[in-house]
Short mmCIF file of all heavy atoms in Angstrom, two decimals:
data_model
loop_
_atom_site.label_atom_id
_atom_site.label_comp_id
_atom_site.label_asym_id
_atom_site.label_seq_id
_atom_site.Cartn_x
_atom_site.Cartn_y
_atom_site.Cartn_z
N ASP A 1 12.62 11.52 30.45
CA ASP A 1 11.71 10.95 31.44
C ASP A 1 10.83 12.03 32.07
O ASP A 1 9.66 11.78 32.41
CB ASP A 1 12.51 10.23 32.52
CG ASP A 1 13.10 8.92 32.03
OD1 ASP A 1 12.65 8.42 30.98
OD2 ASP A 1 14.03 8.41 32.68
N SER A 2 11.38 13.22 32.23
CA SER A 2 10.66 14.29 32.93
C SER A 2 9.45 14.80 32.17
O SER A 2 8.59 15.47 32.75
CB SER A 2 11.62 15.46 33.21
OG SER A 2 12.16 15.96 32.00
N VAL A 3 9.35 14.50 30.88
CA VAL A 3 8.23 15.03 30.09
C VAL A 3 7.37 13.93 29.48
O VAL A 3 6.37 14.24 28.82
CB VAL A 3 8.73 15.98 28.98
CG1 VAL A 3 9.60 17.08 29.55
CG2 VAL A 3 9.46 15.23 27.88
N LYS A 4 7.74 12.69 29.70
CA LYS A 4 6.95 11.58 29.13
C LYS A 4 5.51 11.67 29.59
O LYS A 4 5.23 11.98 30.74
CB LYS A 4 7.55 10.25 29.55
CG LYS A 4 8.75 9.82 28.73
CD LYS A 4 9.28 8.47 29.19
CE LYS A 4 10.49 8.07 28.36
NZ LYS A 4 11.10 6.81 28.84
N GLU A 5 4.61 11.40 28.66
CA GLU A 5 3.16 11.40 28.88
C GLU A 5 2.60 12.80 29.12
O GLU A 5 1.39 12.93 29.35
CB GLU A 5 2.78 10.46 30.03
CG GLU A 5 3.18 9.02 29.76
CD GLU A 5 2.70 8.07 30.83
OE1 GLU A 5 1.90 8.48 31.68
OE2 GLU A 5 3.13 6.90 30.79
N ARG A 6 3.43 13.81 29.05
CA ARG A 6 2.93 15.20 29.10
C ARG A 6 3.20 15.94 27.80
O ARG A 6 2.39 16.76 27.38
CB ARG A 6 3.58 15.96 30.26
CG ARG A 6 3.28 15.41 31.63
CD ARG A 6 3.75 16.37 32.72
NE ARG A 6 5.19 16.61 32.69
CZ ARG A 6 5.74 17.82 32.56
NH1 ARG A 6 4.97 18.90 32.44
NH2 ARG A 6 7.05 17.96 32.57
N PHE A 7 4.33 15.68 27.20
CA PHE A 7 4.73 16.35 25.97
C PHE A 7 4.64 15.39 24.80
O PHE A 7 4.90 14.19 24.94
CB PHE A 7 6.16 16.87 26.07
CG PHE A 7 6.39 18.00 27.03
CD1 PHE A 7 5.40 18.43 27.91
CD2 PHE A 7 7.61 18.66 27.05
CE1 PHE A 7 5.62 19.47 28.80
CE2 PHE A 7 7.85 19.70 27.92
CZ PHE A 7 6.85 20.11 28.80
N THR A 8 4.31 15.94 23.64
CA THR A 8 4.27 15.14 22.42
C THR A 8 5.00 15.88 21.31
O THR A 8 4.68 17.04 21.02
CB THR A 8 2.82 14.87 21.98
OG1 THR A 8 2.13 14.18 23.03
CG2 THR A 8 2.80 14.01 20.72
N ILE A 9 5.96 15.21 20.70
CA ILE A 9 6.68 15.78 19.57
C ILE A 9 6.12 15.17 18.30
O ILE A 9 5.79 13.98 18.25
CB ILE A 9 8.20 15.53 19.69
CG1 ILE A 9 8.95 16.33 18.62
CG2 ILE A 9 8.54 14.04 19.63
CD1 ILE A 9 10.48 16.32 18.82
N SER A 10 5.98 16.01 17.28
CA SER A 10 5.49 15.54 15.99
C SER A 10 6.13 16.39 14.90
O SER A 10 6.74 17.42 15.19
CB SER A 10 3.97 15.62 15.92
OG SER A 10 3.52 16.95 16.08
N ARG A 11 5.97 15.94 13.67
CA ARG A 11 6.56 16.70 12.58
C ARG A 11 5.70 16.57 11.33
O ARG A 11 4.99 15.57 11.15
CB ARG A 11 7.99 16.26 12.30
CG ARG A 11 8.15 14.84 11.80
CD ARG A 11 9.62 14.43 11.75
NE ARG A 11 10.35 15.17 10.71
CZ ARG A 11 11.67 15.20 10.64
NH1 ARG A 11 12.42 14.57 11.55
NH2 ARG A 11 12.27 15.86 9.66
N ASP A 12 5.79 17.59 10.51
CA ASP A 12 5.13 17.61 9.21
C ASP A 12 6.23 17.82 8.19
O ASP A 12 6.71 18.95 8.00
CB ASP A 12 4.09 18.73 9.16
CG ASP A 12 3.31 18.76 7.87
OD1 ASP A 12 3.80 18.22 6.85
OD2 ASP A 12 2.21 19.32 7.86
N ASN A 13 6.65 16.74 7.55
CA ASN A 13 7.78 16.83 6.63
C ASN A 13 7.47 17.70 5.41
O ASN A 13 8.37 18.32 4.85
CB ASN A 13 8.23 15.44 6.20
CG ASN A 13 8.90 14.68 7.33
OD1 ASN A 13 9.44 15.27 8.27
ND2 ASN A 13 8.89 13.36 7.25
N ALA A 14 6.23 17.72 5.02
CA ALA A 14 5.86 18.55 3.87
C ALA A 14 6.07 20.04 4.17
O ALA A 14 6.32 20.84 3.27
CB ALA A 14 4.42 18.29 3.48
N LYS A 15 5.95 20.37 5.45
CA LYS A 15 6.11 21.77 5.86
C LYS A 15 7.46 22.02 6.52
O LYS A 15 7.72 23.13 6.98
CB LYS A 15 4.99 22.17 6.82
CG LYS A 15 3.60 22.12 6.21
CD LYS A 15 2.55 22.54 7.23
CE LYS A 15 1.16 22.52 6.62
NZ LYS A 15 0.11 22.90 7.60
N ASN A 16 8.29 20.97 6.61
CA ASN A 16 9.58 21.10 7.32
C ASN A 16 9.40 21.70 8.70
O ASN A 16 10.15 22.59 9.11
CB ASN A 16 10.58 21.93 6.50
CG ASN A 16 11.40 21.09 5.54
OD1 ASN A 16 11.28 19.86 5.52
ND2 ASN A 16 12.21 21.74 4.72
N THR A 17 8.39 21.21 9.40
CA THR A 17 8.03 21.77 10.69
C THR A 17 7.98 20.68 11.74
O THR A 17 7.47 19.58 11.49
CB THR A 17 6.67 22.48 10.61
OG1 THR A 17 6.75 23.53 9.64
CG2 THR A 17 6.28 23.07 11.95
N VAL A 18 8.49 21.00 12.92
CA VAL A 18 8.37 20.11 14.07
C VAL A 18 7.61 20.84 15.16
O VAL A 18 7.73 22.07 15.30
CB VAL A 18 9.77 19.65 14.56
CG1 VAL A 18 10.59 20.82 15.07
CG2 VAL A 18 9.64 18.58 15.63
N TYR A 19 6.81 20.09 15.88
CA TYR A 19 5.95 20.66 16.92
C TYR A 19 6.28 20.02 18.26
O TYR A 19 6.77 18.89 18.34
CB TYR A 19 4.48 20.40 16.60
CG TYR A 19 4.04 20.89 15.26
CD1 TYR A 19 3.97 20.03 14.17
CD2 TYR A 19 3.68 22.23 15.04
CE1 TYR A 19 3.58 20.46 12.91
CE2 TYR A 19 3.28 22.67 13.80
CZ TYR A 19 3.23 21.79 12.74
OH TYR A 19 2.84 22.23 11.50
N LEU A 20 5.99 20.76 19.31
CA LEU A 20 6.05 20.20 20.66
C LEU A 20 4.80 20.63 21.39
O LEU A 20 4.63 21.81 21.73
CB LEU A 20 7.30 20.68 21.40
CG LEU A 20 7.50 20.02 22.77
CD1 LEU A 20 7.85 18.54 22.60
CD2 LEU A 20 8.60 20.73 23.56
N GLN A 21 3.91 19.68 21.58
CA GLN A 21 2.70 19.92 22.36
C GLN A 21 3.03 19.66 23.82
O GLN A 21 3.41 18.54 24.17
CB GLN A 21 1.57 19.01 21.89
CG GLN A 21 0.29 19.15 22.69
CD GLN A 21 -0.37 20.50 22.51
OE1 GLN A 21 -0.47 21.01 21.41
NE2 GLN A 21 -0.81 21.10 23.61
N MET A 22 2.88 20.67 24.62
CA MET A 22 3.22 20.56 26.04
C MET A 22 1.95 20.70 26.87
O MET A 22 1.31 21.75 26.86
CB MET A 22 4.23 21.66 26.43
CG MET A 22 5.48 21.66 25.57
SD MET A 22 6.72 22.83 26.13
CE MET A 22 5.87 24.38 25.81
N ASN A 23 1.60 19.64 27.56
CA ASN A 23 0.42 19.63 28.41
C ASN A 23 0.83 19.49 29.87
O ASN A 23 1.95 19.06 30.18
CB ASN A 23 -0.49 18.47 28.03
CG ASN A 23 -1.03 18.59 26.61
OD1 ASN A 23 -1.22 19.69 26.09
ND2 ASN A 23 -1.26 17.46 25.98
N THR A 24 -0.07 19.85 30.74
CA THR A 24 0.16 19.73 32.18
C THR A 24 1.51 20.34 32.56
O THR A 24 2.36 19.70 33.20
CB THR A 24 0.10 18.25 32.62
OG1 THR A 24 -0.97 17.57 31.97
CG2 THR A 24 -0.13 18.16 34.13
N LEU A 25 1.71 21.57 32.15
CA LEU A 25 2.99 22.23 32.41
C LEU A 25 3.20 22.40 33.91
O LEU A 25 2.27 22.71 34.66
CB LEU A 25 3.06 23.56 31.69
CG LEU A 25 3.36 23.43 30.19
CD1 LEU A 25 2.93 24.64 29.41
CD2 LEU A 25 4.85 23.15 30.00
N LYS A 26 4.44 22.19 34.33
CA LYS A 26 4.79 22.21 35.73
C LYS A 26 5.76 23.36 36.01
O LYS A 26 6.41 23.88 35.10
CB LYS A 26 5.45 20.89 36.11
CG LYS A 26 4.58 19.67 35.95
CD LYS A 26 5.32 18.42 36.37
CE LYS A 26 4.45 17.18 36.28
NZ LYS A 26 5.16 15.96 36.70
N PRO A 27 5.92 23.71 37.27
CA PRO A 27 6.86 24.79 37.63
C PRO A 27 8.30 24.50 37.21
O PRO A 27 9.09 25.44 37.08
CB PRO A 27 6.73 24.86 39.15
CG PRO A 27 5.34 24.38 39.43
CD PRO A 27 5.10 23.30 38.42
N GLU A 28 8.65 23.23 36.99
CA GLU A 28 10.02 22.90 36.58
C GLU A 28 10.23 22.94 35.08
O GLU A 28 11.32 22.69 34.59
CB GLU A 28 10.43 21.52 37.11
CG GLU A 28 9.52 20.39 36.68
CD GLU A 28 8.49 20.05 37.76
OE1 GLU A 28 7.98 20.98 38.42
OE2 GLU A 28 8.18 18.84 37.90
N ASP A 29 9.17 23.25 34.32
CA ASP A 29 9.28 23.30 32.86
C ASP A 29 9.76 24.63 32.28
O ASP A 29 10.19 24.65 31.13
CB ASP A 29 7.93 22.95 32.22
CG ASP A 29 7.54 21.50 32.45
OD1 ASP A 29 8.43 20.62 32.41
OD2 ASP A 29 6.34 21.25 32.66
N PRO A 30 9.67 25.74 32.97
CA PRO A 30 10.09 27.01 32.36
C PRO A 30 11.54 26.98 31.92
O PRO A 30 12.42 26.49 32.62
CB PRO A 30 9.91 28.03 33.49
CG PRO A 30 8.87 27.44 34.36
CD PRO A 30 9.11 25.94 34.29
N ALA A 31 11.76 27.50 30.72
CA ALA A 31 13.10 27.50 30.14
C ALA A 31 13.01 28.18 28.79
O ALA A 31 11.91 28.47 28.29
CB ALA A 31 13.64 26.08 29.98
N VAL A 32 14.15 28.38 28.19
CA VAL A 32 14.18 28.71 26.77
C VAL A 32 14.22 27.39 26.02
O VAL A 32 15.08 26.54 26.29
CB VAL A 32 15.39 29.58 26.40
CG1 VAL A 32 15.41 29.86 24.90
CG2 VAL A 32 15.36 30.89 27.18
N TYR A 33 13.28 27.21 25.13
CA TYR A 33 13.18 25.97 24.36
C TYR A 33 13.80 26.20 22.98
O TYR A 33 13.43 27.16 22.28
CB TYR A 33 11.72 25.54 24.24
CG TYR A 33 11.22 24.89 25.50
CD1 TYR A 33 11.01 25.64 26.66
CD2 TYR A 33 10.96 23.52 25.55
CE1 TYR A 33 10.57 25.04 27.82
CE2 TYR A 33 10.50 22.91 26.70
CZ TYR A 33 10.31 23.68 27.84
OH TYR A 33 9.88 23.07 29.01
N TYR A 34 14.72 25.31 22.62
CA TYR A 34 15.45 25.43 21.37
C TYR A 34 15.11 24.26 20.45
O TYR A 34 15.06 23.11 20.87
CB TYR A 34 16.95 25.41 21.62
CG TYR A 34 17.47 26.57 22.41
CD1 TYR A 34 17.60 26.50 23.79
CD2 TYR A 34 17.86 27.75 21.77
CE1 TYR A 34 18.08 27.57 24.54
CE2 TYR A 34 18.35 28.83 22.50
CZ TYR A 34 18.46 28.73 23.88
OH TYR A 34 18.95 29.79 24.60
N CYS A 35 14.93 24.59 19.20
CA CYS A 35 14.74 23.58 18.17
C CYS A 35 16.10 23.22 17.58
O CYS A 35 16.96 24.09 17.40
CB CYS A 35 13.83 24.16 17.09
SG CYS A 35 13.56 23.10 15.66
#
C-alpha cells in the first residue's frame, strides 16, 4: 500500500530482468532494496 501509484514493477522475460520504477520518492523510502 505504501508504494501504490508511485512504484511500478515490470519484467522482461527475454532478458530475465525485473525492474522497479520508483517515482515521487519520499523520506520513508530509503532502504536497501533486494530482488
Side-chain angles (χ1 to χ4, degrees):
D1 287 343
S2 59
V3 306
K4 279 181 181 176
E5 299 185 11
R6 297 191 299 123
F7 291 9
T8 301
I9 189 170
S10 61
R11 65 189 292 166
D12 184 338
N13 289 336
K15 296 181 179 179
N16 271 356
T17 301
V18 64
Y19 305 98
L20 186 69
Q21 177 67 44
M22 305 186 293
N23 297 329
T24 319
L25 282 159
K26 298 181 177 181
E28 57 263 38
D29 292 322
V32 178
Y33 283 70
Y34 296 93
C35 176

